[in-house]
Amino acid sequence: MNGKAENSDKKAAIVGIVGRTNAGKSTLVNALVGEKVSIVSPVEQTTRNSVRGIVSDSRGQLVLIDTPGLHKAIGPLGKLLNGMARASSAATDILCVVFDASHAPQIEDEGWMARVAREKPDNCVFVLNQCDKSPVFETMYRDSWAANCASAGVEPKWLKVSAMAGDGLDTLLDCLFDMAEVGPALFDDDIVTDYPRKLAIADVVREKLLSRLFQEVPHEIGVAVKDIYESKDQWDVSVVIYVNKQSQKGMVIGKGGQNLKFARKAAEPELSEMFGLRVCLELWVKVEPNWVKNDRLLTEMGYKGSLV
Ligand SMILES: Nc1nc2c(ncn2[C@@H]2O[C@H](COP(=O)(O)OP(=O)(O)OP(=O)(O)O)[C@@H](O)[C@H]2O)c(=O)[nH]1
Ligand SMILES: [Mg+2]
């Protein structure tokens, strides 16, 4: 962190990116930053940490905080993630509430509208994402948002974007910089994220496993980087994948180890590119019943701690 811009008229803001799971928050953060800082998948509750993506330009700096998506909480992990997401609305300057315009509003969407209208009505942007698909539910979202704004006595503000196609993102950045206040940058302007490397590596491995495994298993998986052995131009990384039950171990490993091999082959080049040197992974699967209740493991995976 630095305080370089103290005497300039540059702006700075911490922006919480919140919304229901699968709305496209991480895709949006990556698109705004221009680099992949947060993993993406069609599986619910992909994001499990607050991942900061940093946008710096001539106008100043926006620190975008990608958060876990709100979800009908099933089990302790779901509750932990929902708590993290809700806490973010208090800890940010601006809230960017993301909705998937191609799916009907659900209880979590209504919940965000009511919360934001109550807590930050003047400091929020309402973003209808996935407009490259048919945004058939646009009117329902807009009507509902207008009703919430009317009860809070503010003008509804909303934008249409496609995080995937890149549509509407410049307008969104303009809007966020307009709302930001003059202030010093929090990070050097060549940094795109301060997400710790152990967590970033674990997330990329989890993303590759999610793309391969059944819908039921992913919520039961926890990935932790144990050690990084550094040599001059190579990192050898040992990674443990935690599952709750013996039966899940075989599913994660796959026939003849094919799932682990797939994850390793997909993750290694991406991580090598990300860190600018060869990254070699060693993946282990461990049965740890109730790992989601194990404070030491949750801390190791970064699922416990403050958001901002
Ligand atoms: N067509 C289309 N798909 C999108 C768009 N944005 C995201 N997606 C897809 O929607 C799925 C969920 O995207 P994520 O970015 O992981 O969603 P999220 O809101 O971060 O989800 P959680 O981390 O679970 O809360 C992925 O398959 C994305 O590729 C978009 O603008 N258009
Ligand atoms: Mg996400």
Side-chain angles (χ1 to χ4, degrees):
M1 295 209 182
N2 70 13
K4 275 197 284 194
E6 230 144 5
N7 296 319
S8 79
D9 56 0
K10 287 200 178 187
K11 294 183 156 187
I14 296 173
V15 183
I17 312 289
V18 297
R20 180 159 56 82
T21 186
N22 268 345
K25 300 176 296 299
S26 301
T27 309
L28 182 65
V29 168
N30 292 341
L32 292 172
V33 171
E35 275 190 47
K36 178 170 166 180
V37 293
S38 194
I39 60 166
V40 166
S41 95
V43 173
E44 292 183 337
Q45 293 200 308
T46 297
T47 304
R48 290 183 179 173
N49 284 303
S50 54
V51 181
R52 283 186 280 217
I54 300 152
V55 177
S56 303
D57 71 17
S58 57
R59 293 168 286 188
Q61 188 173 79
L62 300 172
V63 179
L64 310 175
I65 302 182
D66 187 15
T67 62
L70 270 206
H71 178 262
K72 288 172 203 79
I74 305 162
L77 182 62
K79 288 193 180 113
L80 186 77
L81 298 179
N82 282 350
M84 269 169 123
R86 289 200 182 96
S88 68
S89 63
T92 54
D93 302 317
I94 300 169
L95 272 186
C96 183
V97 197
V98 184
F99 301 92
D100 172 0
S102 69
H103 278 87
Q106 293 182 23
I107 189 164
E108 297 86 358
D109 299 301
E110 305 285 351
W112 271 117
M113 289 189 212
R115 172 177 287 265
V116 169
R118 195 171 63 235
E119 291 177 2
K120 273 197 198 308
D122 298 316
N123 291 312
C124 80
V125 197
F126 176 101
V127 176
L128 274 177
N129 186 34
Q130 311 217 16
C131 287
D132 55 297
K133 297 191 215 162
S134 183
V136 278
F137 296 100
E138 179 183 344
T139 315
M140 279 173 86
Y141 281 102
R142 289 180 55 180
D143 289 351
S144 192
W145 181 226
N148 276 286
C149 285
S151 56
V154 290
E155 274 296 301
K157 212 184 294 173
W158 61 273
L159 292 169
K160 280 172 76 172
V161 307
S162 164
M164 191 175 253
D167 297 333
L169 301 185
D170 287 340
T171 314
L172 174 56
L173 279 180
D174 288 346
C175 175
L176 293 173
F177 272 115
D178 277 351
M179 293 169 82
E181 292 186 2
V182 170
L186 292 169
F187 295 92
D188 286 333
D189 57 14
D190 56 349
I191 289 180
V192 292
T193 184
D194 67 339
Y195 197 44
R197 67 177 180 170
K198 276 190 167 178
L199 301 187
I201 295 171
D203 266 3
V204 171
V205 171
R206 193 162 52 84
E207 181 187 59
K208 303 314 172 201
L209 286 168
L210 294 187
S211 71
R212 183 90 180 177
L213 296 171
F214 295 106
Q215 288 276 120
E216 299 85 62
V217 184
H219 298 292
E220 310 273 338
I221 289 178
V223 181
V225 167
K226 294 294 168 178
D227 285 300
I228 303 178
Y229 301 99
E230 295 182 36
S231 55
K232 194 168 145 277
D233 47 15
Q234 182 167 322
W235 289 351
D236 289 285
V237 185
S238 66
V239 181
V240 175
I241 299 151
Y242 291 99
V243 291
N244 280 321
K245 299 179 208 149
Q246 190 65 33
S247 58
Q248 293 166 340
K249 185 171 175 176
M251 281 166 94
V252 170
I253 294 172
K255 214 172 161 198
Q258 62 181 7
N259 291 343
L260 289 187
K261 191 171 169 197
F262 167 85
R264 187 170 57 75
K265 293 263 179 219
E268 280 179 347
E270 190 172 317
L271 292 166
S272 300
E273 163 91 25
M274 191 185 276
F275 293 106
L277 83 185
R278 201 172 134 87
V279 177
C280 297
L281 299 172
E282 203 173 51
L283 306 180
W284 303 94
V285 184
K286 201 171 165 195
V287 181
E288 182 77 44
N290 265 329
W291 66 263
V292 285
K293 287 189 178 162
N294 181 325
D295 274 356
R296 184 184 54 77
L297 286 179
L298 291 177
T299 307
E300 194 179 343
M301 293 178 206
Y303 300 168
K304 285 211 141 173
S306 71
L307 270 170
V308 181

